[in-house]
Amino acid sequence: MSLEVEVDALRKVPLFRGIDETKLRLLAFISDRMQYQTGEHLCEQGEEGDTAFIILKGEADVRVHTRDGDRSVATVREHSIVGEIAILCDVPRTATLVARTDMDVLTVTKDDFLKLLKEFPDMSLEVMRTLAQRLERTTRDLATARSGGADA
């Protein structure tokens, strides 16, 4: 995948909406392009999070460990960024990512991601929105699971 194709793909990621072409080129240049095959793990729940993943092509299942075994809680698709919680909060990975299809992914290191957030306040705001939406969805799912569990 050429730099131009990567820049075009980054332009479609909502998180990078407000970033100009030059900065997108820089992001594409400093990122590492990785390919994952169906079933391959991008990262494991509990490990140190030192990179974020920008999905250029393909899908991955977001899986968490539960008392009843691993459970798929979401699917992430192209133009998504995942793994940012671990690098923003200095906490272990909150989930395992498993390639549902063959994937092309850009990985951004923690240091580079944090530099981007400092330089582009609009991007920081979009990260907050993304995390707030995930928290709302998780809270709703937890409430649904608890109410279902109480009825059973």
Side-chain angles (χ1 to χ4, degrees):
M1 188 176 283
S2 73
L3 189 64
E4 292 303 318
V5 173
E6 290 175 356
V7 169
D8 187 53
L10 287 171
R11 195 178 291 118
K12 295 174 184 170
V13 176
L15 195 62
F16 305 127
R17 228 183 309 226
I19 297 181
D20 67 51
E21 179 91 9
T22 306
K23 301 301 190 235
L24 288 176
R25 285 181 182 283
L26 175 62
L27 176 58
F29 184 74
I30 64 175
S31 300
D32 289 323
R33 186 168 162 264
M34 306 288 291
Q35 293 182 322
Y36 295 92
Q37 304 301 311
T38 301
E40 195 172 349
H41 289 210
L42 285 71
C43 64
E44 297 287 334
Q45 181 176 345
E47 72 184 10
E48 179 183 348
D50 56 357
T51 56
F53 303 93
I54 302 164
I55 302 173
L56 302 177
K57 183 183 126 198
E59 298 180 353
D61 287 323
V62 179
R63 301 184 63 78
V64 295
H65 304 308
T66 70
R67 284 181 278 162
D68 301 324
D70 283 357
R71 179 175 177 217
S72 184
V73 296
T75 299
V76 289
R77 294 173 172 80
E78 60 186 49
H79 314 308
S80 298
I81 184 167
V82 290
E84 74 282 12
I85 292 173
I87 62 177
L88 287 172
C89 301
D90 283 326
V91 296
R93 297 267 187 213
T94 58
T96 297
L97 287 177
V98 181
R100 176 182 267 200
T101 65
D102 289 351
M103 301 179 71
D104 286 326
V105 175
L106 287 179
T107 59
V108 183
T109 67
K110 178 179 183 172
D111 289 341
D112 288 336
F113 190 74
L114 293 177
K115 285 177 193 171
L116 284 171
L117 291 180
K118 287 177 186 173
E119 191 168 339
F120 303 106
D122 288 348
M123 187 174 151
S124 297
L125 183 59
E126 195 58 40
V127 168
M128 285 190 292
R129 281 189 187 122
T130 300
L131 294 177
Q133 288 169 347
R134 287 185 193 167
L135 177 60
E136 186 277 330
R137 186 174 53 242
T138 300
T139 302
R140 187 181 54 229
D141 291 348
L142 181 60
T144 299
R146 284 189 173 164
S147 67
D151 295 338

